[in-house]
Amino acid sequence: MSSPSSEIFRRGVQIQKRTLIAWSAALVLLALSVVSAWPSMESSGALEDFSTGLSPELASALGVDQIASASGYLKGNLYAVLLPLLLGLMAVTATTALTGGDEEAGRLELLLALPVARRQVFLVRFLCVAFGLALTSVLVWLSVYGSVVSLDMDVSAGGVAAVTLTVALLAVLHAGIAYAIVGFGFGRGPALGVAAGVLVVGYLLHGIAPMSDALEPLANVSPWEWALGSDPLLNGVPWGGVALLVAVSVVVVAAGTYAVDRRDIKNA
């Protein structure tokens, strides 16, 4: 007989199955289309002039400062902005739907009637989202790595794994922020707005703050900087950044779990 927690996890994964398939397919197709365009872009020489006219700071912010190289091309067209942003939005929307959305619609009442603590119900729902993010990230990594090998691109396997890991952890952190906001009782809408806002502001601090001497120190508080600031595609796993991403994720999820156990659950 399955435990209540495993049943909650199974049902949570089942609920998000269609959305997870759609997100995974879209991100895999995005990754494949970006990598498959490399041979034609390289042979045409168009990449050499891509960042012409941009200041070095702006080119770095957009991730196109080394776009003529294979690793720079992957970074600029996939890992610098697009994949972290989309995976982060996937994380935030899935978290708010499985927690705040189901609570506001009254769908959590049956689960809360099971012999399991309220905090456990919410925490397992968060783990469902983390599982979906991990699965999607692995599929993207396999797609990119397989394409890189087949096209004989000068990109290391370790670099692709490292940057995919940090982008996935970045998404988990923002899922945790949405989870914490729901945990404190603010509902799906505010959680979605605040977590998405933190995602965008974090990118701006990471990409734009270094352009100004006065604002440059602010880049260090951005989760994007922790994940991508050391260019993991070239330099491998940034263990300090990974530790920060994991630590902050644990803190915000623990705070949300603590809070949800001490408030009233909304009814539909």
Side-chain angles (χ1 to χ4, degrees):
M1 182 181 296
S2 62
S3 67
S5 292
S6 62
E7 180 63 19
I8 293 168
F9 182 85
R10 185 190 68 79
R11 290 183 63 180
V13 172
Q14 187 176 29
I15 288 170
Q16 65 171 348
K17 181 172 67 174
R18 291 185 180 180
T19 304
L20 180 59
I21 291 173
W23 271 105
S24 297
L27 293 179
V28 166
L29 287 173
L30 170 67
L32 291 174
S33 64
V34 167
V35 181
S36 63
W38 164 252
S40 60
M41 296 293 288
E42 182 188 30
S43 61
S44 69
L47 294 173
E48 298 290 343
D49 301 323
F50 190 85
S51 60
T52 301
L54 299 178
S55 67
E57 294 80 9
L58 182 57
S60 178
L62 297 174
V64 298
D65 49 324
Q66 299 174 349
I67 200 167
S69 67
S71 59
Y73 171 82
L74 269 185
K75 174 186 173 183
N77 287 284
L78 188 62
Y79 286 110
V81 182
L82 201 53
L83 184 61
L85 186 62
L86 292 176
L87 201 61
L89 290 175
M90 170 189 169
V92 169
T93 55
T95 303
T96 54
L98 280 181
T99 55
D102 276 4
E103 179 183 356
E104 292 170 0
R107 290 188 292 267
L108 282 182
E109 291 180 1
L110 289 176
L111 293 179
L112 294 173
L114 295 173
V116 61
R118 180 192 305 171
R119 61 181 178 275
Q120 195 169 347
V121 172
F122 273 76
L123 186 57
V124 171
R125 280 295 177 94
F126 176 79
L127 293 178
C128 292
V129 176
F131 170 78
L133 288 172
L135 181 60
T136 301
S137 299
V138 168
L139 291 175
V140 170
W141 167 66
L142 290 173
S143 302
V144 173
Y145 176 66
S147 300
V148 162
V149 171
S150 65
L151 296 175
D152 197 25
M153 295 175 67
D154 185 20
V155 178
S156 72
V160 174
V163 72
T164 305
L165 171 66
T166 59
V167 167
L169 290 176
L170 181 66
V172 170
L173 171 57
H174 289 88
I177 292 171
Y179 173 86
I181 295 169
V182 170
F184 279 92
F186 290 100
R188 179 181 185 179
L192 182 60
V194 171
V198 171
L199 180 68
V200 173
V201 170
Y203 167 69
L204 293 177
L205 290 176
H206 162 68
I208 307 301
M211 297 182 188
S212 166
D213 292 338
L215 298 178
E216 188 172 6
L218 293 177
N220 295 322
V221 304
S222 169
W224 287 69
E225 183 70 17
W226 309 340
L228 302 170
S230 65
D231 198 352
L233 186 58
L234 282 178
N235 302 314
V237 178
W239 293 111
V242 165
L244 279 171
L245 290 168
V246 172
V248 176
S249 298
V250 169
V251 168
V252 295
V253 170
T257 304
Y258 177 86
V260 79
D261 216 26
R262 286 158 176 78
R263 68 169 176 85
D264 293 332
I265 295 299
K266 300 174 183 177
N267 296 317

